Amino acid sequence: MSTPRLGCVPGPAEKATEQDRRDLIVAVARELAEVEGWAGVSTRRLAERAEIDVGDLYRHFADLEALLAAVAVCAFADLAADLAEAHAEAASSPEGAWPAVASAYLDFAYTNPEVYDAMLALTPDLALGVDGVPAAPRAVFAELRAALAPLAEGRDPDTLAEVGWSLLHGVVMLTRGGRLRPEGQEEREALIAQRLLRWP
Amino acid sequence: MSTPRLGCVPGPAEKATEQDRRDLIVAVARELAEVEGWAGVSTRRLAERAEIDVGDLYRHFADLEALLAAVAVCAFADLAADLAEAHAEAASSPEGAWPAVASAYLDFAYTNPEVYDAMLALTPDLALGVDGVPAAPRAVFAELRAALAPLAEGRDPDTLAEVGWSLLHGVVMLTRGGRLRPEGQEEREALIAQRLLRWP
């Protein structure tokens, strides 16, 4: 994805506040990572691309790891917004929100593979119970839970939402890793969206 | 895990054939990785621990990446054997094989996290359609399919097995990453085993 969204949109560079500058660095890192992979994100290349000093970069982020975590948090917020939008659009659907929300999740993950790795594979500090950060993944979880709760029918909605998230994450990772039939992708998504988590 | 199994069991060192020596290196790499992580696996440490020359090591494996792939293939074979055993033991269960097979899969993954990463995160060459190697993950897939096929009830059994595998892989990765409630692990596994993939 090339367009940063939400709280991650930088203001005009000439009257940038410190927060704007921080947001700009996050947006540029995200874009650069998606184009070249995280291995291609160096402080030098980032500073060039964001048109700031390397010193500025370090004033905002202790290291590239801290910057990667900021990209992940920002991306979780965007994903949560995508899921909320899909839910709202499916409001009147007889099938409920789950098919639309699941599809929006998968679209985000396949469109932003590097950012998705930052969110779920490269950021051990975003685990539950870590101070300050878990709000971002929790927002995504809350959207999945809202879409799945109507399908719980006697099952615990938190557990169902955790299992639903696991299903989406697993299918993304195995599909991306080439472990599942490429020609079966559409059918897998249809099964997940329409005929799997409903009960009975 | 500390005991290598199946085709990975090395013979006595003094009358080792080349194949035995190769198996020994794989078994030692697997053990070392599980204890210290893949970052702790170097040719020097491996050679020391397997009591062979570094030159011997390179005669069998072009580089550490090739060795890691061999560990992964061997581990897939072990996992397939675990699943087959669980299936056989559940033969007379009224619930069918899926709960036992799913539980064996999760046990393997949580007990061997470093090896599990070698199997599914660190080995892009084990993708479908890559010459020579896909047989190992396919054996695991075949076991999952055999356990799930009786639950298909009109759903395509291949797609159901792919989705079932995704579910197991996703719950392993999100649980390990600390993204799901630690206290909910048992309940998640019960839902996956007993009340999720059945239909209707």
Side-chain angles (χ1 to χ4, degrees):
Chain A
M1 61 158 286
S2 57
T3 320
R5 293 170 293 174
L6 273 183
C8 318
V9 181
E14 62 278 16
K15 53 171 189 170
T17 66
E18 286 304 296
Q19 182 60 44
D20 289 338
R21 224 179 264 277
R22 189 182 186 284
D23 292 345
L24 174 71
I25 296 167
V26 170
V28 169
R30 181 172 175 165
E31 220 178 285
L32 191 59
E34 209 53 78
V35 176
E36 317 209 359
W38 287 104
V41 178
S42 67
T43 49
R44 192 186 53 78
R45 297 213 52 200
L46 266 173
E48 268 175 29
R49 198 151 164 154
E51 298 181 0
I52 57 168
D53 292 338
V54 171
D56 255 6
L57 217 158
Y58 280 111
R59 205 169 60 242
H60 290 285
F61 299 99
D63 48 32
L64 284 175
E65 204 178 323
L67 175 53
L68 188 143
V71 168
V73 168
C74 179
F76 269 117
D78 283 353
L79 173 55
D82 281 3
L83 302 186
E85 192 184 322
H87 194 146
E89 281 173 8
S92 58
S93 157
E95 301 206 293
W98 173 247
V101 168
S103 167
Y105 185 101
L106 296 173
D107 280 352
F108 183 96
Y110 291 121
T111 310
N112 307 275
E114 295 289 333
V115 167
Y116 191 79
D117 281 347
M119 294 159 71
L120 285 163
L122 307 174
T123 46
D125 289 350
L126 292 186
L128 290 178
V130 173
D131 281 351
V133 284
R138 293 312 282 171
V140 166
F141 182 79
E143 292 297 337
L144 295 173
R145 190 187 188 284
L148 281 167
L151 309 179
E153 315 224 354
R155 297 178 290 191
D156 174 60
D158 285 313
T159 307
L160 184 63
E162 289 185 327
V163 165
W165 189 13
S166 298
L167 180 59
L168 295 174
H169 181 60
V171 82
V172 166
M173 296 314 287
L174 291 182
T175 298
R176 277 178 48 189
R179 309 305 171 108
L180 308 178
R181 296 165 303 147
E183 71 276 16
Q185 187 171 351
E186 209 173 315
E187 217 180 331
R188 289 193 290 280
E189 296 192 7
L191 183 60
I192 289 169
Q194 292 152 19
R195 295 196 56 200
L196 195 72
L197 295 167
R198 299 194 174 208
W199 175 268
Chain B
M1 58 161 289
S2 56
T3 321
R5 292 171 293 175
L6 273 184
C8 319
V9 181
E14 61 279 16
K15 53 172 188 169
T17 64
E18 286 303 298
Q19 181 61 43
D20 289 338
R21 223 179 264 276
R22 190 183 187 282
D23 292 345
L24 174 69
I25 296 167
V26 170
V28 169
R30 181 172 175 166
E31 219 178 284
L32 191 60
E34 210 53 77
V35 176
E36 316 208 359
W38 287 105
V41 178
S42 67
T43 49
R44 192 186 53 77
R45 297 214 51 199
L46 266 173
E48 267 175 29
R49 198 151 166 157
E51 298 180 1
I52 58 168
D53 292 336
V54 171
D56 255 6
L57 217 158
Y58 280 111
R59 205 169 60 244
H60 290 284
F61 300 98
D63 48 31
L64 285 175
E65 205 178 323
L67 176 52
L68 189 142
V71 168
V73 168
C74 179
F76 269 115
D78 283 353
L79 173 55
D82 281 4
L83 302 186
E85 193 185 321
H87 195 147
E89 281 173 8
S92 58
S93 158
E95 299 206 296
W98 172 246
V101 168
S103 167
Y105 184 101
L106 296 173
D107 280 353
F108 184 97
Y110 291 122
T111 311
N112 307 277
E114 295 289 333
V115 167
Y116 191 78
D117 282 347
M119 295 159 70
L120 285 163
L122 308 174
T123 45
D125 289 350
L126 293 185
L128 290 178
V130 173
D131 281 350
V133 284
R138 293 313 281 171
V140 167
F141 183 78
E143 292 297 337
L144 295 173
R145 189 187 188 285
L148 281 168
L151 308 179
E153 315 226 353
R155 297 177 292 191
D156 174 60
D158 285 313
T159 307
L160 184 63
E162 290 185 328
V163 165
W165 189 12
S166 299
L167 180 59
L168 295 174
H169 181 61
V171 82
V172 166
M173 297 314 286
L174 291 182
T175 298
R176 277 177 49 188
R179 310 305 171 109
L180 307 178
R181 296 165 306 148
E183 72 276 16
Q185 188 171 349
E186 208 173 315
E187 216 180 332
R188 287 193 291 278
E189 295 191 9
L191 183 60
I192 289 170
Q194 292 153 17
R195 296 196 58 200
L196 195 71
L197 295 167
R198 303 197 171 206
W199 176 271

